[in-house]
Amino acid sequence: MAFGLFKKKQTEKSEIPSVKAGHLNVTVKEVVNETADAISIYFEQPDSGTIQYKAGQFFTLIANINGKQERRAYSLCTSPFVDQYPAVTVKRVEGGLMSNHLGDNLKAGDVMEVLEPIGNFVTTFDSNNERHIVLFGGGSGITPLMSIAKSALSQEPKSMVSLIYANRDTDSIIFKSALEKLELDNSDRFKVIHVLGEAPSEWKGFTGFLTQEIIKQTLESLPQMASDQTEFFMCGPGPMMDIVEASLSNLNIPKAQVHKESFTSDAGKKKEKAAVSNEIIAREVTVIYDGEEFKYTVEPGETILEKGLEEDIDLPFSCQSGLCTACRGKCVSGKVKMDEDEGLSEAELNEGYVLPCVSHPLTEDVVIEIG
């Protein structure tokens, strides 16, 4: 058991340590076992005021594990419109440093440091909207989808929500009871279609992996609305989302109506290719953050963020794989090579935004403004 993983709850306000901008100290209200390998962590609202977040966004949890400060991003499973306390769901990963420590050690009353919620896997809710929100989830990918589903059902009485949810078996279905209740309470507007890899003998639903045929068949069975009134959200393992994307593309669904949230990245593979396709050599970069200007040299094999952290510059970051955008900055001069740009929208890329955690300088005049 690692010492210093969680802070003890402070009893005197004067004893509560100050936190940096964008950081929060939050007290764990409750830890709920969702499945054998997944927990939901509910947080008390801090004394400073209610935490503001959008459905689909995520917290970055910070913990000292084995003497090193670790950060991991976890999506909020709660709705800012429905739930009093924000919560994230954490599923154990084999060899997962943070997920296993949280599952083994975290308890009510512990205080954790977190980064304020961020993320672009969001939509705008309006009581006048009349649309069909179709969600594709796999395993723990249900987490942000649950937040979106609850929010839509609460805020858009004219809208419908459908969830296609793939899991290994019935025991691995996260939020199983909550989904059943949500479907019962909104029988005319919310429908869940489960896909199980290993189904019990009495199972009457889809079995095996999620396929294009299952997706096509399911979409045809769901309530139909005009094509421009249907939006698609997906979150889950990469291969599953590849299948969903291909299926929607084959059905001529415009990309603008498809939203994707990734928990993992193939930045490592892209990084290897980058060394071949572009000349990545040692170059000096300038990073402007929090009103200060920092200059340092980034070596081949390093990213702009990695080198900045080595220089003890307190730059913002979370996933370090180009997905969460916590480190996002604007490249106002020069050119960089990104190993992964999935976290940025086309508009952000056109405006010059980059992700320092997966970026390498390609010219001598790189200047990045963060924040």
Side-chain angles (χ1 to χ4, degrees):
M1 177 175 176
F3 293 98
L5 176 58
F6 310 113
K7 304 173 185 177
K8 291 295 183 183
K9 185 175 182 180
Q10 303 289 334
T11 56
E12 298 292 335
K13 288 186 179 180
S14 61
E15 296 177 4
I16 298 177
S18 60
V19 292
K20 293 172 282 191
H23 294 235
L24 297 168
N25 278 340
V26 290
T27 301
V28 176
K29 177 178 177 59
E30 185 181 14
V31 179
V32 176
N33 292 315
E34 301 288 357
T35 66
D37 58 1
I39 59 173
S40 288
I41 306 167
Y42 287 81
F43 296 104
E44 299 273 11
Q45 296 288 1
D47 293 338
S48 57
T50 301
I51 296 172
Q52 302 298 313
Y53 66 96
K54 297 178 181 179
Q57 290 191 315
F58 60 87
F59 268 139
T60 297
L61 307 189
I62 304 174
N64 189 307
I65 304 174
N66 299 327
K68 182 180 178 182
Q69 190 182 72
E70 302 288 348
R71 301 187 183 199
R72 298 291 187 277
Y74 294 105
S75 293
L76 286 138
C77 60
T78 46
S79 163
F81 307 106
V82 176
D83 300 296
Q84 182 178 359
Y85 303 103
V88 299
T89 300
V90 179
K91 183 176 180 180
R92 287 181 185 268
V93 177
E94 185 176 355
L97 192 59
M98 180 75 85
S99 64
N100 284 292
H101 269 288
L102 292 174
D104 291 339
N105 300 292
L106 195 64
K107 62 185 183 302
D110 287 330
V111 176
M112 290 203 72
E113 183 180 359
V114 306
L115 298 186
E116 293 177 346
I118 58 172
N120 299 321
F121 190 60
V122 297
T123 184
T124 301
F125 299 101
D126 190 310
S127 59
N128 294 315
N129 283 347
E130 186 173 354
R131 56 178 170 165
H132 188 185
I133 297 176
V134 181
L135 311 172
F136 290 93
S140 60
I142 185 62
T143 312
L145 303 179
M146 188 67 167
S147 178
I148 292 171
K150 289 195 289 186
S151 299
L153 294 171
S154 166
Q155 298 300 298
E156 299 187 0
K158 300 177 185 177
S159 294
M160 297 179 295
V161 181
S162 298
L163 168 65
I164 297 92
Y165 188 20
N167 278 286
R168 182 179 64 254
D169 51 36
T170 54
D171 291 337
S172 62
I173 298 175
I174 301 174
F175 310 131
K176 185 173 184 293
S177 297
L179 287 170
E180 290 172 352
K181 186 178 187 305
L182 203 60
E183 193 171 21
L184 183 64
D185 293 343
N186 302 272
S187 57
D188 58 335
R189 297 197 299 130
F190 182 53
K191 183 175 180 59
V192 181
I193 298 94
H194 290 285
V195 182
L196 298 180
E198 301 171 9
S201 58
E202 69 276 12
W203 182 253
K204 299 185 184 301
F206 293 110
T207 59
F209 293 111
L210 185 65
T211 63
Q212 291 197 38
E213 181 55 36
I214 289 177
I215 293 171
K216 182 175 183 296
Q217 185 178 339
T218 299
L219 292 180
E220 290 174 348
S221 71
L222 295 176
Q224 301 298 307
M225 297 185 73
S227 59
D228 61 351
Q229 291 179 293
T230 304
E231 287 188 75
F232 301 86
F233 295 80
M234 70 181 82
C235 185
M240 183 213 81
M241 292 199 292
D242 289 343
I243 291 171
V244 175
E245 282 190 290
S247 300
L248 298 182
S249 177
N250 291 339
L251 293 171
N252 298 315
I253 305 297
K255 287 187 176 180
Q257 294 169 226
V258 180
H259 313 275
K260 177 181 176 182
E261 178 79 325
S262 297
F263 287 168
T264 58
S265 166
D266 62 350
K269 296 177 181 178
K270 293 184 178 181
K271 192 171 184 178
E272 293 175 4
K273 295 178 181 178
V276 176
S277 59
N278 295 280
E279 187 184 9
I280 297 178
I281 61 174
R283 291 187 173 94
E284 185 179 71
V285 302
T286 300
V287 175
I288 302 171
Y289 175 60
D290 202 20
E292 294 188 63
E293 184 176 295
F294 305 92
K295 290 182 181 290
Y296 53 86
T297 299
V298 180
E299 300 288 339
E302 294 181 317
T303 67
I304 293 172
L305 174 68
E306 286 171 344
K307 186 61 175 182
L309 295 176
E310 282 184 19
E311 296 289 316
D312 291 326
I313 305 169
D314 189 25
L315 298 173
F317 73 95
S318 179
C319 73
Q320 290 187 277
S321 58
L323 298 175
C324 74
T325 73
C327 65
R328 189 189 78 155
K330 194 168 188 177
C331 188
V332 296
S333 174
K335 184 179 179 182
V336 303
K337 168 67 179 180
M338 283 191 286
D339 301 323
E340 172 68 68
D341 62 9
E342 187 174 309
L344 296 173
S345 67
E346 186 174 345
E348 289 173 316
L349 291 169
N350 291 337
E351 290 176 28
Y353 284 100
V354 298
L355 301 172
C357 70
V358 289
S359 293
H360 313 271
L362 288 180
T363 60
E364 301 291 345
D365 57 342
V366 170
V367 179
I368 298 176
E369 290 184 356
I370 300 176

